[in-house]
Amino acid sequence: MNPFFKSIIVNVVKNRQKHKKPSQISEPFEKRVKNLEIEVTHEVWDFFYLLLGVISASFGLRGFLMPNSFIDGGVTGISLMVNELAGISFPLLLVCFNLPFLALAYFSVGRRFAIKSVLGIILLATAVALTPYPVMTDDKILVASFGGLFLGLGIGLAIRGGAIIDGTEILAIYISRKTSLTVGNVIMIFNVIIFITAAYFLSTEIALYAILTYFAASKTVDFVIDGIEEFMGITIISEKNEEIRLAIIEKMGRGCTIFKAENGFAKEGETRKPVDVVYTVITRLEMSKLKTEVDKIDSQAFMIMTSVKDAKGGMIKKKPIKKFDK
């Protein structure tokens, strides 16, 4: 970290220490400085992601969707539709329609998340109102595709920054906790209602293009959050677990964890045999290589493959993919 900012952090920690009793200080001074450095660094990166997200989303709205009277799903779609029907300022609608969801976020998710989301939505509304983006095209397919792409990119980057710029996800999370519906089901129902309403009040054509816009946006959000290298959690059960462990470490260049377990396939009265279960996290691109290495050792090995939304630390990104094909 820059020495200037480092000195500021040290002074902040010292000031905090002055207002605490010695009995309330449980960590060494250096540890508290390091923790504050990490917190500040993360907050700076979060704000950077949020700012990029606002720029991208406002460009998608002003450069593509709004000049061509297109709408999207979610709260943004409702704001665009009311703007089109009633002529009320879109930035004002965006803030007002998101307020209930932000209040819900405060109580159901947390204060820090809600504050970041308020900042993100205010920045988005300000950018849409004041930034003079050029109109990129009037081709309807391009408007729906690229408008959705930039809007989805903005939403995804904002989520990466620990905030939302569309309150639909908050409602979906809250309802999923109270009912048997999943988050995806709630969002789908919410958007179906919006598209049907758009078809009735605007036109069927606009509603169909709105579906295309929403599809482009949702896929872009998934791409930004999950990335091209989707992670896979692999559980391997085999009697040759030690050889498989060595293959993962030496040939794949990845780390792994060994779980102590027992073989559950035993009849009543029979002794269950202990077994070591190998668990590793790789990218989907490495899946074929791992299967090949495991089959070389034990073609009957039992493998369980699950999708992992994200992974951090360890050896997950130690070596580039191209080295694993040797």
Side-chain angles (χ1 to χ4, degrees), residues 4-256:
F4 174 73
F5 292 108
K6 175 86 171 182
S7 64
I8 293 176
I9 289 174
V10 170
N11 289 330
V12 169
V13 175
K14 286 180 179 178
N15 290 332
R16 287 181 179 178
Q17 185 172 314
K18 290 178 182 178
H19 295 87
K20 289 185 178 181
K21 298 178 181 179
S23 59
Q24 295 177 321
I25 302 173
S26 58
E27 293 181 329
F29 180 79
E30 293 77 9
K31 176 67 173 176
R32 281 180 283 124
V33 170
K34 182 180 178 182
N35 288 345
L36 186 57
E37 278 184 21
I38 293 172
E39 289 176 12
V40 171
T41 302
H42 284 192
E43 290 295 339
V44 170
W45 275 108
D46 284 353
F47 181 76
F48 178 70
Y49 280 127
L50 181 59
L51 191 60
L52 284 181
V54 166
I55 293 171
S56 177
S58 59
F59 177 62
L61 289 166
R62 284 293 303 272
F64 292 93
L65 300 182
M66 293 177 66
N68 294 281
S69 301
F70 272 42
I71 70 169
D72 183 34
V75 177
T76 305
I78 296 175
S79 303
L80 287 168
M81 184 162 54
V82 175
N83 169 254
E84 186 66 23
L85 292 171
I88 302 173
S89 168
F90 171 75
L92 179 63
L93 291 170
L94 188 67
V95 174
C96 292
F97 284 148
N98 273 295
L99 282 178
F101 301 103
L102 294 172
L104 189 62
Y106 182 87
F107 293 105
S108 63
V109 180
R111 184 177 65 177
R112 180 169 174 266
F113 175 80
I115 292 173
K116 282 186 176 182
S117 298
V118 169
L119 176 63
I121 290 169
I122 290 175
L123 285 174
L124 177 59
T126 303
V128 170
L130 302 180
T131 308
Y133 290 111
V135 179
M136 302 306 295
T137 179
D138 59 359
D139 183 279
K140 293 181 178 180
I141 296 296
L142 293 178
V143 169
S145 301
F146 284 91
L149 186 148
F150 283 107
L151 185 58
L153 179 62
I155 293 171
L157 287 170
I159 293 173
R160 279 281 186 181
I164 53 104
I165 52 178
D166 188 296
T168 313
E169 289 78 8
I170 300 300
L171 178 66
I173 292 170
Y174 180 79
I175 293 177
S176 68
R177 290 176 179 175
K178 302 293 183 180
T179 67
S180 59
L181 295 172
T182 64
V183 172
N185 289 337
V186 175
I187 292 175
M188 182 183 70
I189 293 170
F190 190 80
N191 285 314
V192 165
I193 295 172
I194 293 173
F195 298 144
I196 292 174
T197 306
Y200 181 79
F201 285 105
L202 298 175
S203 71
T204 304
E205 184 183 48
I206 289 178
L208 292 175
Y209 278 118
I211 294 172
L212 180 59
T213 302
Y214 171 72
F215 180 78
S218 62
K219 290 300 178 183
T220 306
V221 170
D222 291 341
F223 177 81
V224 172
I225 295 174
D226 296 335
I228 190 171
E229 292 185 339
E230 182 181 352
F231 293 110
M232 303 290 294
I234 313 298
T235 303
I236 308 170
I237 302 173
S238 169
E239 293 182 355
K240 299 180 180 179
N241 50 75
E242 180 61 17
E243 294 178 53
I244 292 174
R245 182 188 71 82
L246 291 173
I248 292 172
I249 294 173
E250 296 174 358
K251 296 184 179 180
M252 298 287 296
R254 294 308 190 202
C256 63

Side-chain angles (χ1 to χ4, degrees), residues 241-301:
N241 50 75
E242 180 61 17
E243 294 178 53
I244 292 174
R245 182 188 71 82
L246 291 173
I248 292 172
I249 294 173
E250 296 174 358
K251 296 184 179 180
M252 298 287 296
R254 294 308 190 202
C256 63
T257 300
I258 305 298
F259 295 106
K260 298 294 182 181
E262 290 183 346
N263 190 337
F265 191 73
K267 296 180 180 179
E268 186 177 355
E270 292 183 353
T271 303
R272 293 190 298 272
K273 297 179 181 178
V275 60
D276 287 344
V277 178
V278 182
Y279 180 80
T280 186
V281 177
I282 60 174
T283 65
R284 187 177 288 278
L285 300 178
E286 299 170 272
M287 191 65 237
S288 176
K289 178 66 174 175
L290 178 62
K291 285 181 179 178
T292 301
E293 294 300 329
V294 172
D295 281 347
K296 288 178 183 178
I297 298 167
D298 183 4
S299 59
Q300 300 301 313

